[in-house]
Amino acid sequence: MRPLRAPTWLVVCAVVAASIASIPLVYLAVRASEAGITTIAETLGRGRVLQFTLNSLGLAAAVTLASLVVGTAVAWVLTRVRVPFPRVWLLFSALPLAVPSYLASYGWLVVFPTMNGFFAAWLLMTAVCTPYVTLPVAAAFRAVSADMEGIARTLGHGPVRAFFAVTWPQVRPAAAAGALLVCLYTLSDFGLVSMLRFQTLTWGINAAYGASFDRNQAAILALLLVAIALIVVAGERRSRKFAPAGSARMARPRVVSRTFLLALLPLVVASPLVGVAIPLGGLAARLFQAETLREIDPTRLLTAVGSTLGVAVLAAVCAVVLALPIAALAARYRGRLAMTIESLGMIGHALPGIVVGLSLVFFALAVVPSLYQSVAVLVFGYVVLFLPKSIGTVRAGISAVPPRLASVARTLGLSPWQAWWRVTARLAMPSVGVGALLVAIATMKELPATLLLRPTGVTTLATELWSRTVIFEFGAAAPYAAALVLVAALPAVALSGVRGLAREEL
């Protein structure tokens, strides 16, 4: 039975982590308060703001629903159906994580220059985001036995009804965590929607900063985005139920007919095809169309690769450390305090990188000026932006660990901290690893916050790519784009090998 009150040490750690994550919110509140109530009301009442809001909500809802359906279906195929080379298919399903959304849209525009609007943004965003659902749901499927479905079938339930009655409640927390990441990522994305000319709130925020440098107006729009994100987090929490413990006996994949298997595989390859193969094909076409290929500077390229890997590792470690207490509190305890702490931890991912970057510039200059334009502030910005990626997956992993195991450890003489660390944390470690890898991938691809916070002279693959594409040097940008995809693919490959995700070929 879940304790009524959380341990003090856990609450304190979670409050500290949530406070760190809420720094951009404080900045936005200060900026919005400077504008005054009248300006806020006028800004929110404009027709274009309403249109931006509806576009953001519509795109986020459509992408989240499509990613949830496709990601769950792909996870089911890869874990419950006997397919040839299952690890290779799981790796392919994770590859879209290695392609930045702005790079995916650029590759498609090379092939289809007139591509724009809602449908284009929905298609590409769904392809890029589907792995956020596929990977955690695949891990959940691996921890759930199929025996109960068989029992439900003997009671007269059809296969679909048996799945939703027995299996779905056990994998729902992982699916909800993945869907939440998809929704927040879609709300905060700027590169893809701007290249496809679909105006959302992030487009309006960037326009306010870039055109008139109106920070107050941009802060008001960003606060509106935060409010939407908080509603999304609250809705995900309301739909979340603590999953029953999975069976220790793993489900064995079933053998299906070759015709049925051939009908399922296109579903698995749809996301990698749309999100990886076609964009990279477009990039290669642009490269070969260039009249001359500029000489590659190996030293500059290797320096960018080293910087990208270094900040990604630091951000992943720091994000996991901050996510652990928040995720543990949200997974084991209920109440307003736990809900508030989790909500504060999740809002950073709904903010555009430019907003988080400017808020940390403001914070560094006001509080710790000695750290301004340092690697520490850059990594801190990544942690604030991508902390939700760790919170969602770690929370799902902790929720799947039966609380009674820690209680048994307590009866053996362990303290609450020791029982939590030796039992709960270790059993949830695969999910912790998934969260760290997701943060690393997102860090490698992040652009706006990197441009604002990076120390002078420090470049990443994303900034090198951006600096060349803005002046239309597509041939020179190609090596950095290829290197970015390859480097980001490393943690994507690791994701497919995390215990609980990849399965042995049977």
Side-chain angles (χ1 to χ4, degrees):
M1 183 175 180
R2 186 177 298 108
L4 295 178
R5 296 185 60 182
T8 303
W9 65 267
L10 181 60
V11 174
V12 171
C13 292
V15 167
V16 171
S19 299
I20 292 174
S22 63
I23 288 177
L25 186 60
V26 175
Y27 165 79
L28 293 177
V30 171
R31 285 294 181 186
S33 63
E34 292 176 354
I37 299 298
T38 302
T39 303
I40 293 176
E42 291 178 353
T43 300
L44 296 179
R46 294 173 183 171
R48 288 179 62 84
V49 173
L50 177 60
Q51 187 62 50
F52 294 161
T53 304
L54 293 177
N55 288 347
S56 294
L57 292 175
L59 182 63
V63 172
T64 301
L65 179 60
S67 297
L68 181 61
V69 173
V70 176
T72 302
V74 171
W76 181 85
V77 172
L78 295 179
T79 56
R80 294 299 177 86
V81 176
R82 190 184 183 98
V83 297
F85 310 109
R87 292 186 177 182
V88 175
W89 288 111
L90 187 58
L91 170 60
F92 284 160
S93 69
L95 283 181
L97 293 177
V99 180
S101 61
Y102 52 85
L103 185 58
S105 58
Y106 165 70
W108 271 82
L109 287 172
V110 170
V111 182
F112 303 101
T114 60
M115 187 176 185
N116 63 82
F118 173 83
F119 178 79
W122 168 79
L123 176 66
L124 298 188
M125 190 66 73
T126 300
V128 171
C129 292
T130 294
Y132 286 123
V133 176
T134 300
L135 294 175
V137 173
F141 273 131
R142 289 291 299 141
V144 175
S145 172
D147 292 344
M148 297 303 295
E149 281 190 48
I151 296 174
R153 294 289 302 277
T154 63
L155 297 177
H157 294 300
V160 175
R161 187 177 178 185
F163 171 82
F164 282 104
V166 177
T167 304
W168 176 248
Q170 299 185 72
V171 302
R172 181 170 48 202
L180 177 62
L181 289 180
V182 171
C183 188
L184 295 181
Y185 182 85
T186 305
L187 287 172
S188 65
D189 181 80
F190 169 72
L192 184 146
V193 295
S194 63
M195 294 190 72
L196 296 177
R197 298 185 291 280
F198 184 68
Q199 297 179 352
T200 61
L201 279 172
T202 54
W203 187 92
I205 292 170
N206 188 77
Y209 276 119
S212 60
F213 208 67
D214 188 349
R215 294 188 177 184
N216 292 338
Q217 179 179 340
I220 294 171
L221 296 181
L223 280 177
L224 177 59
L225 198 60
V226 170
I228 295 174
L230 290 176
I231 294 173
V232 171
V233 172
E236 185 269 343
R237 185 188 300 110
R238 183 176 294 273
S239 66
R240 185 197 315 160
K241 293 183 180 179
F242 292 87
S247 171
R249 192 168 74 87
M250 301 300 181
R252 295 177 64 87
R254 68 187 66 175
V255 179
V256 298
S257 66
R258 179 173 297 182
T259 302
F260 186 52
L261 181 61
L262 292 177
L264 291 175
L265 290 183
L267 181 67
V268 179
V269 302
S271 180
L273 178 64
V274 175
V276 180
I278 294 179
L280 293 186
L283 182 64
R286 175 69 68 164
L287 174 62
F288 291 123
Q289 287 174 2
E291 295 180 1
T292 58
L293 296 179
R294 299 196 176 186
E295 183 179 355
I296 300 175
D297 185 347
T299 302
R300 190 176 184 89
L301 180 60
L302 291 176
T303 300
V305 170
S307 300
T308 301
L309 289 174
V311 296
V313 171
L314 289 174
V317 172
C318 294
V320 166
V321 171
L322 288 181
L324 274 172
I326 298 177
L329 189 67
R332 289 288 190 248
Y333 306 96
R334 301 190 183 189
R336 292 185 178 179
L337 179 61
M339 293 171 56
T340 302
I341 290 174
E342 185 187 12
S343 298
L344 290 176
M346 299 296 289
I347 61 174
H349 197 36
L351 293 174
I354 188 174
V355 174
V356 174
L358 286 172
S359 67
L360 293 185
V361 168
F362 169 80
F363 174 79
L365 291 175
V367 180
V368 282
S370 61
L371 295 181
Y372 176 64
Q373 282 197 324
S374 66
V375 174
V377 175
L378 176 61
V379 172
F380 187 49
Y382 292 141
V383 172
V384 172
L385 274 170
F386 306 124
L387 183 62
K389 294 183 182 294
S390 287
I391 293 177
T393 53
V394 175
R395 184 197 63 217
I398 294 176
S399 297
V401 179
R404 64 178 179 273
L405 295 182
S407 300
V408 172
R410 291 290 307 280
T411 63
L412 298 177
L414 296 182
S415 66
W417 164 257
Q418 290 175 325
W420 185 86
W421 178 252
R422 294 187 182 183
V423 178
T424 305
R426 290 190 179 184
L427 292 177
M429 197 56 65
S431 295
V432 174
V434 170
L437 291 172
L438 289 175
V439 173
I441 293 172
T443 299
M444 294 176 185
K445 301 186 294 183
E446 172 56 30
L447 179 61
T450 307
L451 292 173
L452 285 170
L453 299 175
R454 64 189 173 109
T456 303
V458 174
T459 60
T460 65
L461 290 171
T463 59
E464 290 284 7
L465 173 62
W466 175 83
S467 65
R468 285 158 176 78
T469 54
V470 294
I471 56 177
F472 303 103
E473 293 183 350
F474 298 111
Y480 293 96
L484 177 59
V485 173
L486 290 175
V487 171
L490 295 177
V493 171
L495 276 174
S496 66
V498 172
R499 180 169 58 89
L501 289 178
R503 62 178 171 85
E504 298 294 336
E505 297 184 36
L506 300 175

